[in-house]
Amino acid sequence: MGLVFRVLSRLPLAFLHVLGAALGWIVYLASPTYRRRFQANVAQAGIAWHDARPAIAAAGRMTAELPWLWVGTKRQPLGDKLRWDGGELIAEAMAQKRGLVMLTPHMGCFEICAQAIAERFTSAEAPITVLYRPARQASLRDVMAGSRERPGLATAPASLAGVRQMIRALRKGEVIGLLPDQVPPDGLGVWAPFFGKPAYTMTLAARLVQQTGAALLLIWGERLPGGEGFVVHVLPAPEIAKEASAEDAAATINTAMESLIRRAPGQYLWGYHRYKEPRGLDIGAAPDNPAP
């Protein structure tokens, strides 16, 4: 797998995106389950089909660009392939030295966000720490681990040890990154509305802010057409009160993710199984009428 990624990483980003768009449509047409989930999630969100339809190809582009992101960018920096919108918000938050939590949904090129922050804002001594789940395939797991070994970027496993690592980073005034629309493992979540439907939502993001007093910002990586590169958008986040309940805090974060997704529904992963119930967990069924 490593050899394949090294070969593909030398191809132009525009070519990889063309291949990826074809892959996205092949998967959509070949998998009735994926297609039904994609369509159901779009309908649940109230997004017009013509606005969400580009996300079919975007999902394939996300996969096809990984060799370029994981391997190619280790040979040379992002350079003119990267633009910033709102980067000054990160600089202002870091200057406060109280830690910074960055949240992004499964939208656009979320892999680019941590890399971009590592190149511009952090260092080997004070990196951005991102939470991740190792790939199931051993060969891909090795490639993933190697790709994220770079100055200014550290990883934390989705485990208790990883949570402790992120708390330490925040208390040192560093930056961490999370995908809060990821269904949490091991029962570490609560039911909260997401586009009007109960979704099992992680409590970790809010707890980290509440326990450490860290700043909170939203971020997402827009994928530009024609392989031109990416724009990393940084936006203010809603305030999460220290005394807010887990349910209220999760609902606040879900609403913030919805606001980002509505900005570019053609780049969201609508096929992601956001409303699934984690297996084997005594967490209770989704409520019929979640709190707004």
Side-chain angles (χ1 to χ4, degrees):
M1 183 63 74
L3 176 60
V4 173
F5 266 65
R6 286 194 295 273
V7 172
L8 292 176
S9 71
R10 296 185 178 276
L11 297 176
L13 182 60
F15 182 72
L16 291 174
H17 280 174
V18 170
L19 291 179
L23 174 64
W25 273 101
I26 290 171
V27 172
Y28 179 81
L29 295 173
S31 173
T33 300
Y34 173 78
R35 187 165 61 249
R36 285 193 297 269
R37 182 187 306 137
F38 189 108
Q39 295 172 354
N41 287 347
V42 171
Q44 177 64 43
I47 301 294
W49 178 248
H50 64 80
D51 291 331
R53 186 175 181 271
I56 297 171
R61 293 188 182 105
M62 181 202 69
T63 300
E65 70 197 7
L66 289 179
W68 187 88
L69 288 167
W70 287 358
V71 182
T73 57
K74 295 192 74 171
R75 293 193 298 267
Q76 58 184 13
L78 293 166
D80 60 5
K81 291 291 186 182
L82 176 68
R83 303 179 211 166
W84 281 93
D85 172 31
E88 67 278 1
L89 295 177
I90 297 178
E92 293 169 3
M94 292 181 66
Q96 299 175 22
K97 299 186 183 302
R98 60 189 178 106
L100 172 59
V101 178
M102 306 291 301
L103 302 181
T104 182
H106 286 80
M107 172 177 166
C109 180
F110 44 89
E111 285 278 346
I112 202 73
C113 297
Q115 290 189 17
I117 291 173
E119 283 197 6
R120 179 173 175 179
F121 294 103
T122 59
S123 64
E125 294 74 26
I128 175 174
T129 302
V130 295
L131 190 72
Y132 81 104
R133 292 180 183 175
R136 294 179 181 178
Q137 302 89 345
S139 57
L140 185 58
R141 187 162 57 243
D142 293 341
V143 173
M144 182 185 296
S147 71
R148 290 168 174 164
E149 293 175 356
R150 59 182 73 206
L153 176 59
T155 58
S159 64
L160 181 57
V163 172
R164 289 171 176 164
Q165 180 181 342
M166 288 189 294
I167 290 175
R168 289 195 298 269
L170 290 175
R171 287 178 174 165
K172 289 189 293 183
E174 297 174 2
V175 186
I176 69 164
L178 292 167
L179 280 79
D181 63 337
Q182 192 167 30
V183 179
D186 302 327
L188 301 178
V190 293
W191 292 107
F194 184 67
F195 287 116
K197 182 177 179 178
Y200 197 61
T201 303
M202 72 160 59
T203 57
L204 176 61
R207 284 195 294 112
L208 289 173
V209 172
Q210 291 171 318
Q211 291 179 11
T212 67
L216 181 66
L217 290 173
L218 309 180
I219 187 170
W220 75 281
E222 178 186 3
R223 184 181 297 106
L224 298 175
E228 293 182 14
F230 309 89
V231 179
V232 175
H233 300 272
V234 184
L235 301 97
E239 181 180 355
I240 298 177
K242 189 172 184 179
E243 65 277 7
S245 67
E247 290 78 9
D248 287 345
T252 297
I253 289 177
N254 278 355
T255 299
M257 295 301 101
E258 291 174 15
S259 71
L260 289 185
I261 294 164
R262 293 188 189 280
R263 289 172 175 262
Q267 295 202 22
Y268 183 62
L269 288 184
W270 294 107
Y272 179 61
H273 201 352
R274 182 64 185 90
Y275 299 106
K276 70 180 178 181
E277 295 184 10
R279 295 180 179 178
L281 300 178
D282 185 17
I283 58 177
D288 293 329
N289 297 301

